[in-house]
Amino acid sequence: MIRVFLKWGALAALVAAALYLILALYVQREFVFAMLFLVLTASAVAVFVSKRLYAHRYIFPAIAGMGLFVIFPLMYTVGIGFTNYSASNLLSFEQVNENLLSRTYQSEAVRYDFKAFEREGGYVFYLEGEHQALVTPPVDLADGETRAPVFPADAMPEGEPLAIRDIIQLRQSLSELKLVTDDNRELSQASLRSFAAIHPQFTRHDNGTLTNNQTGETYFPNHDTGFYVNAEGQKLVPGWTVNIGWDNYVKVVTDPSISGPFLQIFVWTLSFALATVLFTLALGLVLANLLQWDQIRGKGFYRTMLILPYAVPAFISILVFKGLFNQNFGEINLVLEGLFGVRPDWFSDPALARTMILIVNTWLGYPYMMLLCMGLLQAIPKDLYEASAMDGAGPINNLFNITLPLIIKPLMPLLIASFAFNFNNFVLIALLTGGAPDIIGASTPAGTTDLLVSYTYRIAFQDSGQNFGLAAAIATAIFIVVGALSLINLKLSKIKV
């Protein structure tokens, strides 16, 4: 009985905590996340309570984790791609109205110069306007008093008013103080020497329009763009998130200032990933063959030294190469200038910048390919090479007729995985070039060395507009490409040679 009680008690406590989290998310208007945790909680209760689903409880944590950290973010990203979600359109329509209606402004017409007098019960404030003078009873700022009435005054209070340095010391308390007149107007501190009347910035009407009380302009809600706009088309910020359909995807294809850089970056991403795989495989296979050579001595030392680039954290190696390729003080340019009298612009010229990226990435990736090839070469029977030697074949013939045909099948899935990794190699681009040099004429932040993943990051987080919807659309395209590569991987893994 105790065991059953503890079991159901623990389940009830977890469900209660989950329901509290769901309610908190709902109150914060995070409806999507509230629905997600509601589904997870309901499915968890069903799996762990139902006897028919008893066997599924062991795999449920893995499925729930996959849904929470893989499927949901993917679906959420795809959903954002169909909206105008950006730095200017983060809120809901209700939150935008709350934000705008909470704004106030201080009237320049109703402004009073003030003097403060210290008294036993606090501070007395004397306000002197153009046509009227007001005075407050003692206000205890030390107790955090933030509201006080003001009454008409016939004369200034007796005593010496506080000096400006004393006013500055009280500025935090004074900024929170509201003085209420007999006709319920509120006065707040406008400067170190004045108080002014506070008015609501906007008034909302029954037809949904907003009027700017300061300028008299009327703004209409435009649910196609997610902004309040006036007759001249001027927008009020912030805006709200609306569904815009396929606009982000169409923009990638039809807008020349986006489609041009996108196509250029897409071609470079494919070329970079393919070239990296080919270069690292070629270098790794050559070094693996050299380390398999019987006549070479000290193989352990050479193997250790050649694997070192793989052991050093990639970000350290990238930053070291960034210094070596420095156009003014880098050792590579110093050597090239001393030998050939040239100083290449590695970070300014697009072709040289891409060449530099391939050199660095080949250095970082060849140890992995070398280790793979070393293991696969040891599985090839030496009798094949001996028979080939008897027929007069050389190393080149052995490479293309024996080595590559025998290692390419087990190596192919790993090559595709390497291609997919380099397709999204964000760290290399971010640390080495940052995407520079920039593409001229692009309306989005785009560089000639950007990969699709770094291009998406810059659109989402570095552009002044922070267009998350457009970035999500591009991220969805990246997912489709990587997903297609995964399918190719599965197909090639079933090929019989």
Side-chain angles (χ1 to χ4, degrees):
M1 291 295 295
I2 296 177
R3 182 178 179 182
V4 173
F5 177 78
L6 291 175
K7 172 185 174 182
W8 289 101
L11 182 61
L14 291 174
V15 171
L19 291 177
Y20 177 79
L21 174 62
I22 293 169
L23 182 61
L25 291 172
Y26 181 82
V27 170
Q28 295 295 324
R29 299 181 179 179
E30 298 290 347
F31 303 118
V32 175
F33 292 96
M35 181 61 67
L36 169 66
F37 284 102
L38 180 61
V39 171
L40 289 177
T41 302
S43 58
V45 171
V47 169
F48 284 93
V49 172
S50 175
K51 292 183 178 180
R52 296 178 56 186
L53 301 175
Y54 184 88
H56 295 75
R57 65 184 60 181
Y58 300 103
I59 197 173
F60 177 78
I63 295 177
M66 183 177 67
L68 182 62
F69 298 110
V70 178
I71 298 177
F72 174 74
L74 175 62
M75 295 178 61
Y76 193 72
T77 301
V78 173
I80 289 177
F82 291 94
T83 69
N84 67 338
Y85 191 55
S86 66
S88 301
N89 301 85
L90 286 172
L91 307 177
S92 65
F93 181 62
E94 292 77 13
Q95 290 172 324
V96 168
N97 282 313
E98 291 177 4
N99 178 278
L100 295 176
L101 294 177
S102 66
R103 296 182 183 181
T104 59
Y105 71 96
Q106 293 179 337
S107 173
E108 293 296 329
V110 184
R111 181 178 289 266
Y112 296 86
D113 294 332
F114 81 93
K115 293 181 174 60
F117 299 84
E118 190 171 4
R119 294 291 187 264
E120 184 177 349
Y123 296 91
V124 172
F125 295 94
Y126 176 73
L127 284 68
E128 188 173 17
E130 185 176 353
H131 304 291
Q132 185 183 28
L134 304 171
V135 67
T136 69
V139 180
D140 192 354
L141 297 178
D143 280 350
E145 192 172 349
T146 58
R147 294 180 67 85
V150 288
F151 306 101
D154 296 329
M156 184 184 302
E158 296 180 356
E160 189 71 22
L162 296 180
I164 188 64
R165 62 177 179 272
D166 300 318
I167 298 293
I168 293 174
Q169 292 177 356
L170 297 173
R171 64 185 182 278
Q172 181 62 38
S173 300
L174 291 177
S175 65
E176 300 173 358
L177 180 63
K178 300 291 185 293
L179 304 180
V180 184
T181 64
D182 52 4
D183 56 355
N184 290 324
R185 290 182 301 164
E186 286 190 353
L187 306 176
S188 65
Q189 188 182 24
S191 68
L192 288 175
R193 284 302 189 186
S194 64
F195 274 76
I198 301 174
H199 300 288
Q201 181 81 44
F202 295 97
T203 299
R204 193 167 189 268
H205 305 288
D206 293 338
N207 60 358
T209 61
L210 291 178
T211 298
N212 189 326
N213 297 320
Q214 192 171 8
T215 63
E217 290 182 302
T218 300
Y219 293 83
F220 303 87
N222 187 331
H223 292 283
D224 293 329
T225 62
F227 287 100
Y228 276 101
V229 295
N230 62 9
E232 289 75 26
Q234 296 177 339
K235 301 177 182 178
L236 281 181
V237 178
W240 61 92
T241 304
V242 295
N243 193 325
I244 59 174
W246 294 89
D247 286 2
N248 286 322
Y249 297 91
V250 172
K251 187 184 296 183
V252 173
V253 178
T254 59
D255 189 343
S257 62
I258 297 178
S259 60
F262 176 82
L263 181 61
Q264 182 177 339
I265 292 172
F266 180 73
V267 172
W268 157 240
T269 302
L270 287 176
S271 303
F272 164 77
L274 283 172
T276 296
V277 172
L278 292 176
F279 292 159
T280 55
L281 175 61
L283 184 56
L285 183 58
V286 169
L287 293 175
N289 275 285
L290 290 176
L291 291 175
Q292 296 289 96
W293 192 15
D294 293 334
Q295 297 183 4
I296 194 171
R297 296 184 179 180
K299 294 180 181 180
F301 171 77
Y302 291 120
R303 188 180 296 114
T304 302
M305 297 303 296
L306 291 172
I307 293 175
L308 278 180
Y310 197 53
V312 177
F315 77 93
I316 294 178
S317 298
I318 293 171
L319 294 177
V320 170
F321 272 104
K322 187 174 183 179
L324 293 175
F325 279 102
N326 186 280
Q327 296 173 184
N328 298 317
F329 308 106
E331 285 76 4
I332 293 177
N333 270 13
L334 293 177
V335 172
L336 291 176
E337 186 178 24
L339 294 177
F340 307 106
V342 295
R343 298 177 67 91
D345 297 329
W346 296 106
F347 293 91
S348 303
D349 184 86
L352 290 176
R354 290 172 174 175
T355 302
M356 174 184 64
I357 288 174
L358 287 173
I359 292 173
V360 175
N361 208 35
T362 301
W363 169 267
L364 295 174
Y366 85 82
Y368 173 71
M369 291 297 179
M370 185 185 70
L371 291 174
L372 294 178
C373 293
M374 285 172 59
L376 294 173
L377 289 175
Q378 291 177 357
I380 300 176
K382 293 184 178 180
D383 296 345
L384 296 177
Y385 293 107
E386 294 175 357
S388 176
M390 293 178 63
D391 290 338
I396 302 299
N397 289 327
N398 289 339
L399 175 65
F400 287 100
N401 295 321
I402 299 177
T403 305
L404 283 179
L406 291 177
I407 69 172
I408 195 64
K409 180 185 176 183
L411 199 58
M412 185 58 69
L414 299 172
L415 294 179
I416 294 176
S418 177
F419 175 87
F421 170 79
N422 285 288
F423 195 89
N424 293 316
N425 197 341
F426 173 78
V427 174
L428 175 66
I429 304 302
L431 293 181
L432 191 58
T433 64
D438 291 334
I439 297 176
I440 305 300
S443 62
T444 54
T448 53
T449 60
D450 265 321
L451 302 181
L452 283 177
V453 62
S454 62
Y455 176 52
T456 304
Y457 174 82
R458 294 178 68 184
I459 291 175
F461 299 108
Q462 291 187 353
D463 183 21
S464 58
Q466 294 186 346
N467 195 335
F468 304 120
L470 180 61
I474 297 175
T476 303
I478 295 175
F479 165 74
I480 293 173
V481 172
V482 176
L485 292 174
S486 300
L487 291 177
I488 294 173
N489 190 356
L490 292 175
K491 294 291 184 180
L492 292 176
S493 299
K494 298 178 181 179
I495 293 178
K496 294 183 180 181
V497 178

